[in-house]
Amino acid sequence: MKKLLSLLLVGTLAAATAQAVTTKWSQSGAITSTTTGALPYYGGSVFAVTASFTFSGSVIADNIIKVGRVNTASSTYEGKNYATVGVTNQGGTNYLSIAAYGGGGSEVKTVSSIVVEADKEITFSLVASRATPNTFTLYVNGKKDSVAVVELSNAMNTPTDTIWVYGSNSLTVEDVSVYHADAGENIYTLAQKNSVPEPTVLALLALGVAGLALRRKA
């Protein structure tokens, strides 16, 4: 019986977490300082970024990730041609938001989504479609529908792409991955599934195993 339950647990976990994606950049574990990586995604590409974070700040806004032409922290491109997911403060309340800059910074759009509670982990997936128009779609904590969408009429198409991850003393970012869907898979469906917090997956597994044990007893 123990062996059967172990096999079922492993099989269920694999089914729950396995996704047909090709990962292009990843950083495992906790990130508490700024880090960066180069991405091979150019104009017309569609890709996703999934990460978890815990924010312990009060009213100070923080970026979590940025994608686009952001070559250095002090670059003049810092304010142009990029999309970011971050924590913004509005009226004393922190929200998870998307901000996107298109047309060399001539177009700026920001959309807020869920409230960010202090010291509570959140998992999100951002789908970046570099087709025209550029569209950025945010999924949070496994919600079936997206919680925020930003569309740019001026493209964010730039020669190179960079991802920046902004860990800090007040912001711990964990397990960042950048990927695209393999043939036959839908990147939006994968991104939504990947935004399910890990404890939730484990809780579902526990319930499934417990239910199986009850059936065996019956």
Side-chain angles (χ1 to χ4, degrees):
M1 182 63 178
K2 266 187 191 176
K3 185 176 180 182
L4 174 61
L5 288 176
S6 297
L7 290 172
L8 284 170
L9 180 59
V10 170
T12 307
L13 181 59
T17 59
Q19 302 293 338
V21 300
T22 298
T23 301
K24 290 295 185 179
W25 187 87
S26 64
Q27 183 83 30
S28 60
I31 301 171
T32 56
S33 59
T34 301
T35 186
T36 184
L39 305 178
Y41 292 116
Y42 298 90
S45 300
V46 180
F47 64 94
V49 182
T50 294
S52 297
F53 74 94
T54 304
F55 182 71
S56 59
S58 53
V59 296
I60 300 174
D62 278 85
N63 293 310
I64 303 170
I65 61 164
K66 282 184 181 179
V67 291
R69 186 167 180 177
V70 189
N71 296 327
T72 66
S74 59
S75 170
T76 55
Y77 287 107
E78 185 73 357
K80 301 177 182 179
N81 289 318
Y82 72 84
T84 180
V85 176
V87 179
T88 59
N89 184 266
Q90 301 172 33
T93 301
N94 290 317
Y95 293 89
L96 187 64
S97 302
I98 307 175
Y101 294 72
S106 62
E107 181 182 17
V108 182
K109 288 188 177 180
T110 302
V111 176
S112 299
S113 60
I114 67 166
V115 172
V116 176
E117 299 178 34
D119 302 316
K120 185 175 181 179
E121 187 175 79
I122 291 175
T123 301
F124 69 85
S125 293
L126 175 71
V127 179
S129 172
R130 300 291 300 280
T132 301
N134 288 185
T135 305
F136 304 91
T137 306
L138 187 66
Y139 297 91
V140 179
N141 288 346
K143 293 181 182 296
K144 185 176 180 181
D145 298 319
S146 61
V147 297
V149 178
V150 171
E151 184 176 290
L152 294 175
S153 56
N154 294 298
M156 195 190 74
N157 295 333
T158 51
T160 60
D161 278 295
T162 308
I163 180 168
W164 284 74
V165 183
Y166 293 89
S168 66
N169 290 334
S170 62
L171 178 67
T172 299
V173 187
E174 295 188 89
D175 301 327
V176 182
S177 61
V178 183
Y179 52 92
H180 67 255
D182 291 339
E185 295 291 337
N186 183 294
I187 189 66
Y188 293 92
T189 301
L190 295 175
Q192 181 268 322
K193 289 180 179 178
N194 287 338
S195 72
V196 175
E198 191 171 313
T200 301
V201 174
L202 294 177
L204 289 173
L205 289 172
L207 286 172
V209 172
L212 178 62
L214 288 173
R215 286 186 62 187
R216 293 285 295 181
K217 283 184 180 180

